[in-house]
Amino acid sequence: MKTRADKIILGIDPGTTIMGYGLISVAGSKMDAVDLGVLQLGKLNDHALKLKTIFEFTLSLIDKYHPDDLAIEAPFFGKNVQSMLKLGRAQGVAMAAGLFRSIPIFEYSPKKIKQSITGNGNASKEQVAAMLQTLLTLKELPQKMDATDGLAAAVCHFFQQNTSGGSKKKLSGGWKSFLSENPERQLTLKGLKILQSDVSSRCPCCILAKFH
């Protein structure tokens, strides 16, 4: 169900074992989390069935939330050609679902997403998740960071294609521009360092709680 917002953005982190997704609502220069989670595909042995499941699940998200844009993370180029081929197919069917419902598709590299969220293209998943928790005032973080990766794609798109007062307006400063307008949502660098220290010394499951 669509909320009162200028725009709903669906973000997807494609995968053949786990697909992460996140949705945000945008009202002027403000954004709020709508939903985030993961699609578990590990128990499906047939690759074609995984692709069918991704397509149908993405369609169900679109039909439920009616997003205006779909932002998707581009595959990370690795040495395993077969894995890259499968990941590319997973991304392709998610994009096809958006196109099937006439949703505009926007693709962002992992580095671009990290840079947009944290200001550092080499930031860790934990740092991205921590910044998202602050930017969107999330009470809890999900156990699977694939969910926050999907949410990050949506937030990245918000920074790149923000709307203000009903007209298109690109935020040249990315997350810095957002924080300047929303100082109450700022997370200090010291806080990020503390979190990173916690993650390195403790089990992630003890730090991250499931988001409801």
Side-chain angles (χ1 to χ4, degrees):
M1 181 174 64
K2 194 165 183 176
T3 59
R4 288 187 177 182
D6 296 333
K7 177 179 285 189
I8 299 290
I9 303 173
L10 168 62
I12 290 180
D13 175 36
T16 56
T17 302
I18 299 176
M19 184 190 89
Y21 68 90
L23 292 109
I24 62 172
S25 63
V26 176
S29 62
K30 304 292 184 180
M31 61 177 172
D32 293 289
V34 176
D35 191 16
L36 74 159
V38 297
L39 170 64
Q40 299 277 4
L41 299 160
K43 294 183 178 180
L44 301 177
N45 296 321
D46 184 71
H47 183 62
L49 181 57
K50 289 184 177 183
L51 298 179
K52 178 176 180 289
T53 303
I54 293 170
F55 181 83
E56 292 176 341
F57 183 78
T58 305
L59 273 183
S60 71
L61 290 175
I62 293 171
D63 292 341
K64 180 178 181 180
Y65 295 105
H66 305 289
D68 299 279
D69 293 339
L70 191 160
I72 192 164
E73 181 175 313
F76 179 81
F77 293 100
K79 296 181 179 180
N80 191 318
V81 178
Q82 287 300 317
S83 294
M84 287 303 305
L85 179 61
K86 290 179 179 180
L87 184 58
R89 289 170 177 168
Q91 183 203 36
V93 294
M95 294 172 68
L99 295 172
F100 188 70
R101 289 288 189 259
S102 300
I103 307 296
I105 309 296
F106 299 85
E107 184 181 55
Y108 299 98
S109 69
K111 189 162 189 165
K112 178 66 175 180
I113 293 174
K114 292 178 180 179
Q115 175 71 34
S116 180
I117 303 300
T118 70
N120 177 9
N122 297 313
S124 67
K125 286 179 176 287
E126 291 82 8
Q127 288 176 316
V128 172
M131 186 60 76
L132 287 173
Q133 186 173 27
T134 300
L135 293 174
L136 298 169
T137 60
L138 301 176
K139 293 182 180 180
E140 296 177 319
L141 288 173
Q143 291 181 335
K144 300 289 186 182
M145 277 186 282
D146 304 83
T148 48
D149 285 346
L151 188 64
V155 174
C156 173
H157 181 61
F158 165 77
F159 287 142
Q160 300 303 313
Q161 304 286 327
N162 185 47
T163 58
S164 179
S167 61
K168 288 272 185 178
K169 177 184 177 184
K170 186 172 181 179
L171 288 178
S172 60
W175 70 277
K176 291 182 179 179
S177 296
F178 177 83
L179 289 180
S180 67
E181 296 179 9
N182 302 269
E184 74 281 0
R185 295 193 178 187
Q186 186 167 359
L187 179 67
T188 64
L189 182 60
K190 180 180 179 181
L192 280 177
K193 288 182 178 179
I194 292 174
L195 182 139
Q196 190 173 29
S197 175
D198 286 344
V199 170
S200 63
S201 61
R202 296 170 58 190
C203 171
C205 294
C206 298
I207 300 171
L208 302 180
K210 185 176 181 181
F211 177 84
H212 297 286

